[in-house]
Amino acid sequence: AQSVTQLGSHVSVSEGALVLLRCNYSSSVPPYLFWYVQYPNQGLQLLLKYTTGATLVKGINGFEAEFKKSETSFHLTKPSAHMSDAAEYFCAVSDLQSTLTFGKGTMLLVSP
Amino acid sequence: SQTIHQWPATLVQPVGSPLSLECTVEGTSNPNLYWYRQAAGRGLQLLFYSVGIGQISSEVPQNLSASRPQDRQFILSSKKLLLSDSGFYLCAWSVRTYEQYFGPGTRLTVT
């Protein structure tokens, strides 16, 4: 069975500061990993994904994530936070069958 | 390109009333379809998924049901709503690459 742990239900940063959202997973198969963003009262939007190949993946809005098998991690980063990045972020792992397992989400707060 | 629609966008229903939420996908064939619920502070809960017409898998026992009458249509229903059914309902689709694409959601308030 798969599981996802997102450390910190809330993360606060200042505008222009580094964003780091943590995600650790467990999986019985080589994982496919995803990050989604959700703005208030909207659906989830895919930010980026790791399937195979390069372990550093780049996504939309300047975000990137690195798959580290030895650490079972897939942390999301952005060098410089913008006010528009304030949202909830979800990490997810695929069971390679039909479903995704989502973490509980991390709310990113950006202060001016 | 693919698009996913959900309606209604918002809904206020009394306890004990029926429910029907609809989700349709355009621009793809034979997608997997999913219903999720987000209750305040509780993350995403997978309710149902379907890999084909008439094939429904239920992830949690509840007073909700799902149906897939057409390839790209997914319906979430209830005969009698409970207060605990309030939440934000999201429909999603996927194909072979496993990432899921979400609709805009329906905000349901049961009063």
Side-chain angles (χ1 to χ4, degrees):
Chain A
Q2 286 71 35
S3 68
V4 175
T5 301
Q6 291 184 238
L7 291 177
S9 58
H10 292 79
V11 170
S12 295
V13 300
S14 299
E15 191 172 21
L18 171 72
V19 175
L20 171 60
L21 303 182
R22 300 179 185 273
C23 173
N24 288 89
Y25 69 91
S26 68
S27 177
S28 56
V29 298
Y32 284 13
L33 295 158
F34 308 88
W35 274 101
Y36 287 84
V37 60
Q38 185 180 29
Y39 299 99
N41 293 311
Q42 295 186 24
L44 278 68
Q45 179 183 7
L46 181 66
L47 267 181
L48 48 80
K49 65 180 179 181
Y50 169 78
T51 54
T52 58
T55 56
L56 181 64
V57 293
K58 296 184 184 297
I60 61 173
N61 301 339
F63 284 93
E64 61 183 36
E66 186 171 12
F67 169 60
K68 292 187 177 180
K69 183 178 179 180
S70 61
E71 300 177 7
T72 60
S73 69
F74 190 56
H75 301 332
L76 182 70
T77 61
K78 182 175 180 177
S80 177
H82 192 272
M83 296 295 290
S84 61
D85 294 326
E88 190 161 22
Y89 292 80
F90 292 91
C91 181
V93 61
S94 171
D95 67 356
L96 301 188
Q97 298 295 321
S98 299
T99 63
L100 295 181
T101 298
F102 285 86
K104 294 187 177 181
T106 297
M107 186 68 70
L108 176 65
L109 307 171
V110 182
S111 56
Chain B
S1 64
Q2 301 87 2
T3 56
I4 178 169
H5 304 280
Q6 285 186 246
W7 63 89
T10 60
L11 192 59
V12 180
Q13 292 284 96
V15 168
S17 64
L19 173 72
S20 180
L21 303 181
E22 190 165 343
C23 170
T24 58
V25 179
E26 297 176 355
T28 186
S29 296
N30 196 29
N32 290 351
L33 296 172
Y34 307 84
W35 278 112
Y36 291 88
R37 177 170 59 200
Q38 277 185 303
R42 297 189 63 182
L44 277 166
Q45 180 185 31
L46 178 63
L47 301 175
F48 301 94
Y49 71 94
S50 171
V51 299
I53 295 175
Q55 302 179 62
I56 308 294
S57 296
S58 174
E59 291 294 300
V60 291
Q62 63 230 320
N63 68 322
L64 300 172
S65 62
S67 62
R68 185 171 178 173
Q70 300 180 42
D71 180 45
R72 289 169 289 179
Q73 184 184 31
F74 205 24
I75 297 172
L76 183 69
S77 303
S78 174
K79 293 181 179 179
K80 289 186 177 181
L81 284 168
L82 307 173
L83 284 174
S84 58
D85 292 323
S86 293
F88 192 51
Y89 287 82
L90 289 162
C91 182
W93 68 273
S94 73
V95 286
R96 289 178 299 278
T97 47
Y98 308 112
E99 67 260 34
Q100 294 179 13
Y101 297 93
F102 286 79
T106 295
R107 174 74 60 190
L108 172 66
T109 303
V110 182
T111 60

